[in-house]
Amino acid sequence: MRTIFLFSLPTLLTVASAYCPPTVFLLAGDSTTASLSANGGGWGDGFNATLVPPGVCENHALNGRSTKTFIDNGDWGRLLESAASFSEKEYRVFVTIQFGHNDQKLVDFEEQFKTNLKAMVGDVRGKGGVPVLVTPLARRNFWPNGTLNDILSPWAGYVREVAEEMKANSIDLWKESKRLLEAVGETQARRIDLADGDHTHLNHAAEKVFGRMVADLLVAELSERGRKRLDVRCVVGRNETMSREIKKGVMSF
């Protein structure tokens, strides 16, 4: 005699939503994504701190890298090997790609930058992962009127162009970091410099703020429009106080 279990629709939905697949974020980028060091510090480790099991993060970002040197030096190849390994283990694999600060040094910088980003998007997809293009973190150079003098605006635009052309997921970190920095003002912004005169890299306190900003942007981007396969809310822990303050233009330390 078979036993038949009858579940109500709400119960079925609860059971289905309780499953959270293992998810890995692989971070590609320059020093504004990389771990805190003497010559760099970015949002990457702050983002890692927001994750909860079964969420995993590998920060592959390195100081001084452009899209070109990240590829030429083998850093990108190592990240792709990791992506393939996690895919084989049935992880959901997301690869964030944030460059721009050092790509101004390229010979034909605009076209090389966009060409490299397109290749990176294709490479990640080829390894079974989901690429997420990230506009560069804003620099903290202020005009006397309190607005940012940030030459990275064109680079943010190039990232948006590639994301649209490649139909890739993207988050606008440049826009959101610029908005927050202009809201808090230059005096507050100086409190997050890695060292005196360093208006690019983040200290430990800022790493947490911008790591939370990236986490919130990724949740919004990867949980929209019913794309449940991409939903990352179950591996990104909440900090409603910090998220609310960031939206209001406040940085707490």
Side-chain angles (χ1 to χ4, degrees):
M1 177 179 177
R2 291 186 300 171
T3 302
I4 300 175
F5 296 94
L6 298 178
F7 294 97
S8 66
L9 180 58
T11 301
L12 287 172
L13 292 175
T14 300
V15 171
S17 63
Y19 173 68
C20 185
T23 301
V24 64
F25 293 89
L26 307 177
L27 314 184
D30 54 34
S31 56
T32 60
T33 302
S35 299
L36 189 67
S37 66
N39 300 309
W43 53 264
D45 290 357
F47 168 73
N48 183 22
T50 70
L51 298 181
V52 296
V56 178
C57 178
E58 287 186 357
N59 192 348
H60 290 256
L62 292 165
N63 295 354
R65 293 294 195 264
S66 65
T67 52
K68 185 176 189 301
T69 58
F70 199 80
I71 294 169
D72 291 350
N73 291 356
D75 310 310
W76 183 241
R78 284 184 284 275
L79 183 150
L80 291 175
E81 288 177 4
S82 187
S85 175
F86 277 108
S87 290
E88 290 172 1
K89 298 172 186 174
E90 298 187 351
Y91 275 71
R92 295 186 305 175
V93 178
F94 296 94
V95 179
T96 66
I97 304 168
Q98 188 228 279
F99 291 93
H101 288 82
N102 300 305
D103 284 85
Q104 296 157 331
K105 303 170 187 176
L106 300 178
V107 177
D108 185 9
F109 58 86
E110 177 183 344
E111 289 308 314
Q112 266 200 290
F113 183 61
K114 291 193 286 189
T115 296
N116 292 343
L117 288 181
K118 291 174 189 177
M120 287 174 152
V121 168
D123 288 344
V124 173
R125 288 171 172 167
K127 298 298 182 181
V130 177
V132 183
L133 293 173
V134 182
T135 58
L137 181 72
R139 286 195 179 100
R140 299 178 298 282
N141 299 314
F142 285 81
W143 292 110
N145 66 359
T147 60
L148 283 186
N149 173 19
D150 196 331
I151 61 173
L152 287 164
S153 177
W155 300 92
Y158 302 151
V159 175
R160 295 188 202 103
E161 285 179 32
V162 172
E164 183 174 356
E165 180 178 341
M166 300 294 289
K167 294 181 172 55
N169 291 285
S170 66
I171 61 172
D172 202 340
L173 180 59
W174 178 81
K175 177 182 176 181
E176 287 303 302
S177 57
K178 180 175 183 291
R179 178 192 61 78
L180 177 60
L181 292 166
E182 290 180 342
V184 302
E186 184 170 9
T187 300
Q188 280 282 88
R190 293 287 74 83
R191 295 177 61 201
I192 65 174
D193 291 344
L194 181 62
D196 289 343
D198 186 342
H199 303 163
T200 299
H201 303 111
L202 306 176
N203 61 23
H204 186 59
E207 161 190 295
K208 296 177 182 178
V209 172
F210 290 98
R212 169 52 54 184
M213 177 181 284
V214 170
D216 291 345
L217 289 171
L218 285 173
V219 167
E221 170 65 13
L222 299 175
S223 304
E224 286 183 344
R225 296 182 290 277
R227 294 176 296 181
K228 294 181 180 179
R229 183 181 68 84
L230 300 182
D231 198 334
V232 297
R233 284 173 290 189
C234 62
V235 295
V236 178
R238 294 182 181 181
N239 186 331
E240 294 181 0
T241 299
M242 184 177 285
S243 297
R244 184 167 55 250
E245 289 179 343
I246 289 171
K247 287 182 180 180
K248 291 171 63 176
V250 176
M251 281 196 296
S252 296
F253 304 101

